[in-house]
Amino acid sequence: MKALLKYREIWLAAAIVVLIALISTRFPAFADPGNLRQVFNDTSILMILALGQMVVILTRSIDLSMASNLCFTGMMVAMLNAAHPAIPIPVLIVTALAVGLVLGAINGLLVWRLNIPSIVVTLGTLTIYRGATFVLSGGAWVNADKMSPEFIGFQRAAFLGIPVLSWIAILVIALFFILMTRTALGRSIYAIGVNPTASVYTGIDVGRTKFIVFCISGMIGGLAGYLWISRYVIASVEVANGYELNIIAACVIGGISIAGGIGSVGGAVLGALFLGIISNALPVINISPFWQMAISGSAIILAVVLNARGERQQGRIILRKVEAA
Amino acid sequence: MTDIPAPRHIPDRLDKPLSSAIFSWEALLVVVAVAIFAINSFASPYFLDPYSLSDLTFNFTEKGLIAFAMALLIISGEIDLSVAAIIALASTMMGMAVQAGAGTPALVAIGIVVGLGCGAFNGLLVTRLGLPSIVVTIGTMSLFRGIAFIILGDQAYKGYPESFAFFGQGYVWWVVSFELVLFLIAAVVYWFLLHRTSFGRRVFAIGNNPVAAQFSGVRVGRIKFILFCLTGLMSGIASVLITSRLGSTRPSIAQGYELEVITMVVLGGVSILGGAGSIVGVVLAAFIMGLVTFGLGLLNVPGIVMSIFIGLLLIIVIALPIVWRRLRGGR
């Protein structure tokens, strides 16, 4: 029991249970399994994105361009669908993954080959990718009536009583769990975050691993692009504007250290769920949605304050130079 | 000179030969600025006009004011993502004061005090609790703008007094705007603070090695707290200028400014890893960003496409010296 309490995830899970209990005192139907399934579904995209961001943050990097990548890829598949409704959805999803991968690889190459800090690279590509969305679409929107019914319906289709979107999230969570706990790549990612210099001496190619990590976050951004557009059925340049910071916030609440090396798949998922529950519960219990930003901001600060003790020994200078090979 | 380039921090500058001064970051920025200026004047007949050049300055003065304080903060190894949210909150408070019938001096005071207070709040969280600033300020960013949203909802505050319009719209002398004068004064003040005082040397020392700085008697926590207060203060001043220029307050005011300010600072040659940078670079970067956005605006390029150019400029200018070094055979 004592050993269990050491895990941040247990505390976070407990906080989520308490949060749901508190909400259900005001609105009993919130804790209903059907509604919780709905909340999970609503949070799926944020969970997927947070997992992609997690692997980047674990290597002491950051990907600020994820939301712009999402916007660009989403616009691209929406336009493809509008122009050629016959293209099957699996092909579109593969396209989204590929486009996202390319955008992520650009970030990764700049970080790997030119050694530019990731925060600078992705700050640049954040504006470039969103601008490119405008160039691609000419500023026009793709509306629901231009999208094919399959495009919109795919993720809403129920499989074993749960929407496909939730299944995709579960699949992504499982893949990331295997990646982080059962593969050499996962171990290298943690090693780089904990001590980049030592990783070099143990034979890990730090630059190449970072490149792979950005490819992963790019692919996740692309996947989320399709999911986002088909869920909210509108593709515009404004899609997910500023969302990159929500993704990072979910990671931070989930106990992923921005200094790298600390964090888990469970933490990222729970962090995203925590934010998702807050945004789902506010309208239900009659709090104006205008409070949402202030509440999630306070939650972030509170989470960091609680996490601070665990991180203190690790050295918390976030932008510290990584001594690459 | 060996193949390994000397780090670009200030104490080294004294020993540098003349050639390295000519090929310095600032020189590169000057070349970029002149090139963009020339392209602009060829591209549009309306560019070389005193009034249009004066308009140009409004593109960077407000963000540039914050960029000076942000440069010091980033040199010290911290960052503040909440600056735009501070602008929103300060502007909301000014709006509330206007509804209560406050005059211009009171409005300016409120803007500055709210900005300073927000900066102090960030500074306390970072220094007292030892939290990473990037995370703290993501939190306070939501918090400050969230409060603005709670107070304003989907409303807008209007009805600022006529004398208040001077700060964002007024001219001090012919076509020289008040904002530009303030920007230039701030540039000199921050240049002096960073490059000519012991405070500035300590900021560099903290950025290069906080532990070593602590052991050499630098009060790291206190200096970082002051730097957060300065960033808040500059955001408060910027809030007065923007609110005055727009004549209204919406909760979405200044959205996305934080990333533009950081882009300006990084483009100015300040190392995002801390420990290196100069105010001259930031001033030049501010001019460059103003020139790019204004020039593209004259050519009717939409704002979102301008951001492509700013992003490309950021990456190319940062990558250029690295590629150059590689090409010359150094690694």
Side-chain angles (χ1 to χ4, degrees):
Chain A
M1 188 66 196
K2 220 173 186 180
L4 273 181
L5 285 180
K6 272 194 203 154
Y7 286 102
R8 221 182 293 269
E9 290 79 17
I10 303 284
W11 286 102
L12 194 53
I16 288 177
V17 171
V18 170
L19 188 64
I20 293 175
L22 279 175
I23 295 162
S24 54
T25 56
R26 293 269 309 262
F27 191 80
F30 191 81
D32 186 72
N35 186 59
L36 290 182
R37 215 155 44 210
Q38 182 64 41
V39 171
F40 183 88
N41 198 48
D42 284 344
T43 316
S44 293
I45 298 176
L46 182 59
M47 280 191 280
I48 294 170
L49 287 165
L51 285 169
Q53 184 70 255
M54 177 191 74
V55 290
V56 180
I57 294 180
L58 280 176
T59 65
R60 296 195 177 180
S61 302
I62 200 158
D63 187 351
L64 293 172
S65 72
M66 263 184 128
S68 301
N69 178 338
L70 182 164
C71 178
F72 181 85
T73 315
M75 176 62 84
M76 189 167 226
V77 291
M79 287 173 70
L80 262 179
N81 180 255
H84 307 284
I87 299 176
I89 299 303
V91 175
L92 281 184
I93 292 181
V94 172
T95 311
L97 285 169
V99 174
L101 175 68
V102 170
L103 299 184
I106 295 172
N107 289 332
L109 275 177
L110 288 167
V111 171
W112 178 24
R113 285 295 174 198
L114 295 182
N115 249 325
I116 310 176
S118 60
I119 193 170
V120 178
V121 168
T122 55
L123 191 61
T125 52
L126 170 143
T127 61
I128 294 173
Y129 295 164
R130 198 170 284 278
T133 313
F134 183 93
V135 175
L136 179 73
S137 66
W141 295 12
V142 181
N143 292 322
D145 54 327
K146 289 197 196 116
M147 299 175 191
S148 71
E150 298 81 36
F151 185 84
I152 300 167
F154 176 73
Q155 59 155 285
R156 287 176 173 72
F159 179 69
L160 298 178
I162 295 173
V164 170
L165 175 60
S166 295
W167 283 113
I168 294 177
I170 292 166
L171 180 70
V172 171
I173 293 168
L175 284 176
F176 270 90
F177 187 76
I178 294 168
L179 171 73
M180 297 317 291
T181 59
R182 296 284 180 277
T183 66
L185 177 63
R187 224 161 348 160
S188 318
I189 290 171
Y190 277 115
I192 290 171
V194 172
N195 191 334
T197 314
S199 316
V200 173
Y201 287 117
T202 52
I204 297 170
D205 189 334
V206 174
R208 206 177 60 120
T209 310
K210 284 194 173 176
F211 171 72
I212 296 172
V213 154
F214 277 101
C215 289
I216 294 174
S217 77
M219 276 172 79
I220 288 292
L223 174 66
Y226 163 69
L227 295 174
W228 184 294
I229 299 300
S230 62
R231 178 159 184 76
Y232 300 107
V233 289
I234 181 128
S236 80
V237 180
E238 289 292 310
V239 160
N241 208 352
Y243 204 68
E244 54 278 338
L245 294 171
N246 291 36
I247 304 167
I248 297 166
C251 288
V252 166
I253 293 179
I256 290 150
S257 165
I258 210 92
I262 307 171
S264 70
V265 172
V269 170
L270 289 172
L273 263 181
F274 189 84
L275 279 183
I277 290 171
I278 288 179
S279 58
N280 264 280
L282 290 180
V284 175
I285 54 173
N286 267 332
I287 294 178
S288 141
F290 293 121
W291 279 76
Q292 189 178 329
M293 278 185 94
I295 292 180
S296 50
S298 316
I300 297 165
I301 296 172
L302 198 67
V304 200
V305 172
L306 292 178
N307 280 347
R309 267 205 9 245
E311 276 175 37
R312 193 155 288 178
Q313 294 93 356
Q314 297 287 336
R316 0 157 230 95
I317 305 151
I318 38 127
L319 302 169
R320 179 157 53 193
K321 185 164 190 146
V322 175
E323 291 93 349
Chain B
M1 290 281 288
T2 54
D3 283 334
I4 304 154
R8 280 185 289 108
H9 52 88
I10 294 306
D12 271 11
R13 188 145 298 177
L14 297 171
D15 328 319
K16 276 186 183 169
L18 185 66
S19 62
S20 76
I22 292 168
F23 294 110
S24 70
W25 189 275
E26 288 78 6
L28 177 68
L29 292 180
V30 169
V31 171
V32 172
V34 170
I36 298 173
F37 192 89
I39 294 169
N40 277 353
S41 49
F42 278 112
S44 169
Y46 307 105
F47 180 71
L48 284 177
D49 170 81
Y51 288 97
S52 90
L53 286 178
S54 171
D55 274 354
L56 184 160
T57 60
F58 287 102
N59 282 323
F60 64 81
T61 39
E62 292 147 0
K63 290 164 208 154
L65 283 170
I66 306 174
F68 295 137
M70 184 75 87
L72 266 62
L73 196 59
I74 292 182
I75 289 172
S76 82
E78 302 287 345
I79 200 162
D80 187 350
L81 293 172
S82 71
V83 287
I86 294 176
I87 293 177
L89 185 58
S91 183
T92 305
M93 294 299 169
M94 284 188 274
M96 284 176 79
V98 162
Q99 311 305 309
T104 301
L107 289 178
V108 175
I110 287 170
I112 290 173
V113 168
V114 171
L116 198 58
C118 291
F121 183 68
N122 282 334
L124 278 180
L125 282 175
V126 171
T127 57
R128 287 281 155 192
L129 297 174
L131 306 175
S133 56
I134 193 167
V135 179
V136 165
T137 54
I138 284 178
T140 53
M141 178 177 90
S142 302
L143 183 65
F144 296 154
R145 202 180 280 278
I147 296 171
F149 265 105
I150 292 170
I151 293 170
L152 277 162
D154 48 5
Q155 309 264 290
Y157 281 137
K158 288 198 179 92
Y160 287 94
E162 259 174 47
S163 58
F164 186 66
F166 170 76
F167 299 101
Q169 302 168 19
Y171 291 89
V172 172
W173 177 74
W174 190 37
V175 293
V176 182
S177 68
F178 174 75
E179 287 202 1
L180 181 63
V181 172
L182 203 60
F183 173 83
L184 294 174
I185 292 172
V188 173
V189 169
Y190 274 93
W191 175 82
F192 188 80
L193 185 65
L194 183 62
H195 299 303
R196 287 292 177 271
T197 65
S198 61
F199 181 85
R201 293 188 74 86
R202 287 181 185 141
V203 171
F204 279 112
I206 293 171
N208 275 311
N209 192 335
V211 180
Q214 183 82 52
F215 282 118
S216 8
V218 176
R219 294 165 100 175
V220 174
R222 205 174 69 161
I223 288 185
K224 283 188 176 173
F225 176 74
I226 294 171
L227 292 178
F228 275 104
C229 289
L230 280 179
T231 318
L233 172 75
M234 298 314 278
S235 308
I237 293 172
S239 180
V240 172
L241 299 179
I242 295 171
T243 310
S244 154
R245 183 163 56 83
L246 301 176
S248 75
T249 299
R250 283 171 204 285
S252 61
I253 191 170
Q255 199 124 47
Y257 269 32
E258 61 280 332
L259 294 179
E260 282 188 58
V261 169
I262 294 167
T263 305
M264 210 177 257
V265 173
V266 172
L267 192 62
V270 172
S271 164
I272 199 86
L273 310 167
S278 81
I279 292 297
V280 178
V282 176
V283 172
L284 287 168
F287 270 111
I288 288 176
M289 283 179 70
L291 278 168
V292 169
T293 47
F294 189 75
L296 293 171
L298 280 179
L299 298 175
N300 284 324
V301 174
I304 186 101
V305 178
M306 289 177 195
S307 63
I308 299 184
F309 288 89
I310 299 285
L312 279 176
L313 196 69
L314 175 71
I315 291 180
I316 291 171
V317 173
I318 302 275
L320 217 55
I322 300 166
V323 174
W324 176 244
R325 219 153 48 219
R326 293 269 165 89
L327 288 178
R328 285 198 312 186
R331 255 203 87 105

